[in-house]
Amino acid sequence: MTRLLMLAACFALATPALSASAQDAATPAADAPTTNAPLTGNADTGRALTYTCQGCHGVDGYRNVYPHYHVPKIGGQSPEYLVNALHEYKRGTRRHPTMQAQAQSFTDQDIADIAAFLSELTK
């Protein structure tokens, strides 16, 4: 029960920041060129976006409530892996209700920023 309350508190704290990020992304820049080039992530921006990730991924030995499994460490993963995983959660091809909800709130640039930050972590 305590873990559920902690998780709910993390989401409550993250919602305003994520909503602002999503609103900013919903306003297209008039001069932004459309290309298929991979996005370059900004680790400083990614640090702010990953604040709530620590709630599950930063706790040693933590097991998620739904379903019962060990939550993986994501710090130090390759940026390509992190980008692919978040896009799969966003599309629904990788299933986990919490991660799908988180990923759907991110823009492609947010995902690149998150991957840039997490891939630089060594511990």
Side-chain angles (χ1 to χ4, degrees):
M1 185 66 168
T2 303
R3 286 186 181 157
L4 288 175
L5 292 174
M6 287 176 47
L7 186 59
C10 287
F11 284 122
L13 291 172
T15 302
L18 295 177
S19 295
S21 177
Q23 288 174 354
D24 291 344
T27 309
D31 300 327
T34 305
T35 65
N36 290 332
L39 297 172
T40 302
N42 180 316
D44 290 331
T45 303
R47 176 188 311 269
L49 291 169
T50 60
Y51 178 77
T52 60
C53 300
Q54 290 294 324
C56 294
H57 293 281
V59 179
D60 288 332
Y62 179 67
R63 291 190 174 275
N64 197 318
V65 177
Y66 178 83
H68 297 290
Y69 71 94
H70 176 73
V71 177
K73 296 288 183 186
I74 53 177
Q77 289 284 354
S78 73
E80 296 82 13
Y81 171 81
L82 294 165
V83 166
N84 287 338
L86 286 171
H87 279 293
E88 288 172 5
Y89 283 122
K90 188 173 184 172
R91 285 191 303 267
T93 55
R94 188 180 280 206
R95 297 177 137 332
H96 186 277
T98 303
M99 285 302 304
Q100 286 175 319
Q102 286 285 354
Q104 288 174 1
S105 69
F106 297 136
T107 65
D108 290 346
Q109 183 63 56
D110 290 340
I111 291 173
D113 295 341
I114 289 167
F117 172 69
L118 291 174
S119 66
E120 292 178 354
L121 296 178
T122 57
K123 190 170 185 178

